[in-house]
Amino acid sequence: VEDSADAGISVNTNSNLILSGNLKVPDGSLHVINESGQVVVIPEDEIGVEGDPEGSYRIANGEIVLEATGSVTCGEGAAIFGDSPEVVAGGSVYLLLEGDKGELNIEAGENITVTAFSLDNKSSRLNVGDVVSGAGDVVIRAANGILGAAPFIQGNRIELDANKGEILALGEESDFVTINSDILGTGGVAARATTGIALTEDVGDLKLIAPTAWAGISVVATEGSVQLDAPLGSIRDAVYE
């Protein structure tokens, strides 16, 4: 499905929602008609301080909202382009989506798995709002960063993988991504980044678990600092060998 109107895409079903094809909405990119008469997109980092060039235009951002009493799943070969969606699911959520396209918010009853990609292989980052599982695990893979103004992530096992970026809050009040992990008593958190990680556990102990999304240390920033906080509990090693 591709939508060029302001309204975006909204789907609500009383069953499972399986995306068998791509969902695409405008992302507010700058367009211009070149000398050959073709419409091309100008990357934001190529726009000068003088602003949008003469003759260019933008299509307003579209929004994607997906709601299902069951699961929400990107089928094989399907992905979401142009907007980080709002998702509410009674079951699990599995998404493949274009990174750096607005705030991602997910509420699910079971497992949540999100993988970000980018066409330029430089902007596979996610701006996270609330990603909340009521009774499952959360895995977020975004190579160039897992960020947000005030991110909140809840699940039993939480695995955050930003192996070419950082895992931080970018708001004015705190650098820390707030997590509520181990909600079933059998989980914890693992995180991987390059330039920095800052996590604070919202409820009780912060347990460090063995990752399944990568091999190695529970929490690691290869070229930066790691900050862990558990104001209402302890920081514990939950890797049992």
Side-chain angles (χ1 to χ4, degrees):
V1 177
E2 183 169 346
D3 186 5
S4 60
D6 294 350
I9 297 170
S10 180
V11 181
N12 188 313
T13 178
N14 288 323
S15 184
N16 295 324
L17 176 58
I18 301 175
L19 306 179
S20 58
N22 295 333
L23 296 186
K24 185 176 182 180
V25 294
D27 63 0
S29 297
L30 183 66
H31 295 70
V32 67
I33 300 176
N34 64 16
E35 296 178 353
S36 302
Q38 298 173 319
V39 176
V40 296
V41 175
I42 301 177
E44 295 294 326
D45 59 6
E46 295 183 10
I47 300 173
V49 294
E50 65 277 4
D52 296 355
E54 183 178 354
S56 64
Y57 63 95
R58 294 179 184 270
I59 301 174
N61 296 68
E63 295 184 353
I64 298 175
V65 179
L66 306 175
E67 297 178 295
T69 58
S71 298
V72 176
T73 303
C74 281
E76 185 176 357
I80 296 174
F81 294 83
D83 180 55
S84 291
E86 301 273 345
V87 181
V88 178
S92 61
V93 172
Y94 175 84
L95 298 179
L96 177 64
L97 55 88
E98 188 177 14
D100 210 19
K101 299 298 180 183
E103 186 175 87
L104 175 69
N105 291 284
I106 300 174
E107 180 181 345
E110 300 175 7
N111 294 338
I112 298 172
T113 302
V114 179
T115 301
F117 68 91
S118 58
L119 301 179
D120 61 4
N121 292 320
K122 298 178 181 178
S123 51
S124 301
R125 67 182 64 87
L126 286 178
N127 176 7
V128 174
D130 293 335
V131 175
V132 175
S133 170
D137 301 332
V138 175
V139 177
I140 300 177
R141 301 181 182 93
N144 299 114
I146 298 171
L147 308 164
F152 176 74
I153 302 170
Q154 173 180 295
N156 189 48
R157 291 179 58 93
I158 297 175
E159 299 191 41
L160 308 176
D161 190 5
N163 65 330
K164 297 179 182 178
E166 56 193 357
I167 302 172
L168 298 172
L170 300 178
E172 296 181 358
E173 296 184 2
S174 174
D175 293 334
F176 285 83
V177 174
T178 301
I179 60 173
N180 180 16
S181 62
D182 193 35
I183 59 173
L184 302 180
T186 57
V189 65
R192 176 173 71 162
T194 300
T195 52
I197 296 172
L199 301 175
T200 182
E201 174 63 50
D202 194 43
V203 179
D205 295 340
L206 192 161
K207 297 179 181 178
L208 306 182
I209 58 174
T212 61
W214 65 91
I217 301 172
S218 294
V219 178
V220 57
T222 56
E223 298 176 10
S225 63
V226 172
Q227 302 176 74
L228 301 177
D229 187 25
L232 300 178
S234 303
I235 298 173
R236 297 172 51 195
D237 183 0
V239 179
Y240 305 108
E241 299 178 354

